[in-house]
Amino acid sequence: MITLTRLNGKPFTLNAIYIEQIEAFPDTTITLTNGKKFVVRESVEEVVVLVKDFYKHISIIGLPRDLEGLKDEK
């Protein structure tokens, strides 16, 4: 889950697994796999970083950066 901010300033939590695309119109618009859209204050780049960190946290994409060097030491 990632925490984002709606344009009205209210924070909300979104399950990043359901994100299909992130665009700037110029406001950042997130489209989910079910077609629902969210407009947020964060930039596209900020959302991408949050999503990557989320995926690393749940081990979907590789090892967390601080553990990458440990895999060769065994």
Side-chain angles (χ1 to χ4, degrees), residues 2-72:
I2 60 173
T3 300
L4 300 165
T5 312
R6 296 181 192 273
L7 291 182
N8 65 5
K10 288 190 170 190
F12 71 103
T13 304
L14 179 69
N15 190 338
I17 292 173
Y18 296 112
I19 294 176
E20 182 174 308
Q21 65 184 15
I22 307 165
E23 301 174 281
F25 286 129
D27 295 321
T28 304
T29 304
I30 299 170
T31 305
L32 304 184
T33 55
N34 65 4
K36 188 168 184 171
K37 295 180 184 272
F38 292 92
V39 181
V40 299
R41 286 187 175 184
E42 290 78 10
S43 68
V44 170
E45 294 80 14
E46 290 171 311
V47 176
V48 168
V49 167
L50 289 170
V51 171
K52 284 182 179 179
D53 288 346
F54 169 73
Y55 282 154
K56 285 178 187 174
H57 179 74
I58 62 171
S59 299
I60 286 184
I61 56 173
L63 292 171
R65 288 181 188 240
D66 57 333
L67 297 178
E68 285 180 351
L70 297 178
K71 66 181 177 185
D72 296 327

